[in-house]
Amino acid sequence: MSILIDDTTVNYNVQSYVNCQRKHDLVKDGVFTDPPTVVVVGAGVAGLAAAMTLASMGARVTLLERAATTGGKIRTVPSATGPVDAGPTVITMRHVFENLFRRTGSRLQDHVELVEEPLLARHWWPGGGSLDLFADRGRSIDAIRAFSDARSALEFERFAKESETLFKAFQRPIIEAAEPSYSAMIRHVAMRPWLAPMIGPHQTLRQRLKKRFSDPRLAQLFGRYATYVGGSPLSSPAILSLIWHTEASGVWIVKGGVTALAEAMTQQAAAMGVDIICDTDVARIAVGEVEDVSGRIWSGDAVLYAGDPAALRAGLLGDWPKGAVADDAVNQRSLSAYVWAFAATPDGPAGDEPLAHHNVFFGRNAEAEFRDLAAGRPPADPTLYICAQDRGPGQSPTSAERFEIIMNGPDAPLGARPTVEEQETCQTRTFETLTDFGLTFSPQPGRAALTTPADFGALFPGSGGSLYGLSPQGLDATFRRPTARSKLAGLYLAGGGVHPGAGAPMATLSGLRAAEAIATDLALTSRSRQTAMHGGM
């Protein structure tokens, strides 16, 4: 089978691609001996990770970014006290980033300083009562016993062990697999029958947690982890309880903010010869080439799209890449968010405990919030996450501190614009809810400090404001996500909307997988001068 790519014809043998001798001619000791050219669209952590990895193998890489800076959803907004994180606030799965820098001949610790945070989060409920959870399981057990009772402590211990078992059981065949399959998972479970009741194939996460915890506050707390991948505990599969183990395995604060990590990846990519071009809005992706809105064209042996794959399906980058992904890989969208980023002086909350670095203020009704979101409206009784960015190990906050407040929100229609009414409603619900907990800010931020789902939709074309790509609803959602190899030869995918999913570590893994797929495919292809191809295979 011959596939036309720019001025090159890639010849595939359907049975074995080509003979292995050609592979060794192209790649030796993990380095291209005949360097290809790769164009990467999107400089979030996925695009940066792929560019770094490809460059480490000798590829000539051009990285195009629509925004003025790299980082994607890792972003800051200015304030009187300095830049405020308005995206991810911590790093989990540190080993993913360590492995990335190691593969590029460097060390993570030479570029950024990570501070481990033993206190995972401080949680508050209406009517009083707060609970700290820790990376140390024993400390969490003791804290839950003091907060609730001995029975709840035992229930948590069992839940934590179950979460760890699930994570370890599916880490290699699902999370780390390049192309996981539903049938492979079924075979995996069939060989380990003790996993079946833990997966709960016919249970939602909410149903599972109500059975696991006699204290409804704990069921509400651990149900919140579905939102980490843009899901609702009312509809997400019970297996998402494994997310708890990801956080309990370690949380690190990045000195200087999470943007320092994106900047370090950018600097390392540039040092390795990656040509990084920002303020470049891509208008079209075609076979072996990328064109920006000004008409400039970049050609390559492969193109990697590291944005939301829904943009391809919607035709926002031309007709050809519409076929790169299936409808069911992008059409059921995950949650969005309303994000406040500002500097102010806090007062409160009421009670014995001050704000920690990570704080969660729960709504009164564990299910009402997600019923509102499912109906496409902002929650009337929201749960709010607050990152107090100037608090934590080794930090001493001044009178004016930097804060990020996140309220879950529904995704927005493509092309939607934020309305004044929506912004005012969000402002009222956010700060009146916190006032009920005894927490106020001076000055209270205005609407300019708010990013709405529609705003996120404008920042990330095709996403509709969805921050996590495909919704995790349904046990097969993982297997419907696009993988590194799109349905079109020569076009590859990476990012939070691609397997293994959302979040900085997962998106970084997707970039690594895409680089590996490109390297494998280009090493297994014979490149010759262009010839015409008519008809089918």
Side-chain angles (χ1 to χ4, degrees), residues 277 385 476 522:
I277 307 174
Y385 163 79
D476 67 336
L522 292 183

Side-chain angles (χ1 to χ4, degrees), residues 144-159:
I144 288 173
R145 184 182 296 110
F147 170 73
S148 185
D149 53 32
R151 178 182 178 184
S152 293
L154 181 60
E155 290 168 343
F156 167 75
E157 186 172 11
R158 290 172 178 165
F159 169 78

Side-chain angles (χ1 to χ4, degrees), residues 48-403:
L48 288 167
M52 291 167 65
T53 305
L54 288 164
S56 72
M57 293 187 282
R60 295 183 290 265
V61 183
T62 299
L63 178 57
L64 307 177
E65 170 54 45
R66 180 174 182 265
T69 58
T70 61
K73 293 185 177 73
I74 295 179
R75 53 189 283 269
T76 61
V77 298
S79 80
T81 310
V84 187
D85 279 331
T89 56
V90 293
I91 293 299
T92 59
M93 300 177 71
R94 173 177 176 159
H95 66 277
V96 170
F97 303 97
E98 290 175 331
N99 291 341
L100 170 64
F101 277 86
R102 188 180 302 116
R103 291 178 68 159
T104 59
S106 186
R107 300 189 308 168
L108 177 65
Q109 60 265 38
D110 293 337
H111 298 269
V112 292
E113 182 180 350
L114 300 182
V115 180
E116 188 166 11
E117 173 59 278
L119 174 58
L120 300 179
R122 181 160 287 159
H123 307 82
W124 277 269
W125 281 266
S130 64
L131 170 65
D132 290 352
L133 291 179
F134 302 89
D136 184 306
R137 186 179 298 178
R139 292 186 68 184
S140 291
I141 291 171
D142 291 341
I144 288 173
R145 184 182 296 110
F147 170 73
S148 185
D149 53 32
R151 178 182 178 184
S152 293
L154 181 60
E155 290 168 343
F156 167 75
E157 186 172 11
R158 290 172 178 165
F159 169 78
K161 289 178 179 177
E162 181 177 270
S163 176
E164 180 179 10
T165 298
L166 284 171
F167 183 87
K168 290 181 176 179
F170 293 104
Q171 182 175 9
R172 181 163 295 179
I174 302 297
I175 298 172
E176 296 180 356
E179 297 182 358
S181 71
Y182 193 72
S183 60
M185 186 192 76
I186 296 300
R187 291 193 298 271
H188 184 75
V189 174
M191 296 174 65
R192 300 160 182 83
W194 64 88
L195 290 174
M198 295 184 187
I199 296 173
H202 304 296
Q203 278 187 323
T204 66
L205 181 60
R206 175 66 177 163
Q207 290 168 337
R208 162 67 58 82
L209 294 172
K210 288 176 74 172
K211 291 184 177 180
R212 289 293 185 269
F213 292 103
S214 54
D215 189 328
R217 295 173 298 180
L218 297 177
Q220 182 181 21
L221 189 160
F222 292 107
R224 173 181 163 270
Y225 282 85
T227 65
Y228 280 30
V229 291
S232 161
L234 305 186
S235 56
S236 297
I239 195 174
L240 289 191
S241 59
L242 61 77
I243 295 175
W244 161 251
H245 181 71
T246 305
E247 183 163 286
S249 297
V251 166
W252 284 267
I253 299 171
V254 184
K255 199 76 174 289
V258 181
T259 50
L261 175 60
E263 290 167 4
M265 295 172 69
T266 303
Q267 292 168 6
Q268 181 69 356
M272 298 170 68
V274 176
D275 188 12
I276 303 172
I277 307 174
C278 292
D279 287 314
T280 301
D281 196 358
V282 170
R284 182 180 66 90
I285 295 175
V287 181
E289 68 179 33
V290 173
E291 181 180 359
D292 72 7
V293 292
S294 71
R296 183 178 177 183
I297 293 176
W298 289 265
S299 298
D301 298 292
V303 174
L304 169 60
Y305 179 68
D308 196 312
L312 300 177
R313 190 67 185 170
L316 300 185
L317 292 114
D319 289 334
W320 180 68
K322 285 182 180 180
V325 295
D327 273 336
D328 66 356
V330 297
N331 62 6
Q332 191 175 40
R333 306 304 290 167
S334 66
L335 296 178
S336 186
Y338 295 88
V339 177
W340 297 90
F342 61 96
T345 301
D347 183 18
D352 298 330
E353 298 290 349
L355 288 172
H357 189 84
H358 303 289
N359 310 270
V360 182
F361 294 83
F362 285 105
R364 291 177 173 80
N365 188 311
E367 298 184 1
E369 172 183 15
F370 296 102
R371 287 196 294 267
D372 283 342
L373 292 169
R377 55 180 179 261
D381 180 23
T383 289
L384 300 172
Y385 163 79
I386 299 181
C387 178
Q389 295 178 24
D390 297 306
R391 303 191 181 210
Q395 294 180 293
S396 300
T398 58
S399 57
E401 303 177 45
R402 294 171 299 166
F403 295 94

Side-chain angles (χ1 to χ4, degrees), residues 174-180 478 481-483 495 497-501 506 509-510:
I174 302 297
I175 298 172
E176 296 180 356
E179 297 182 358
T478 293
R481 275 184 180 270
T483 57
V498 177
H499 177 76
M506 297 299 190
L509 275 176
S510 79

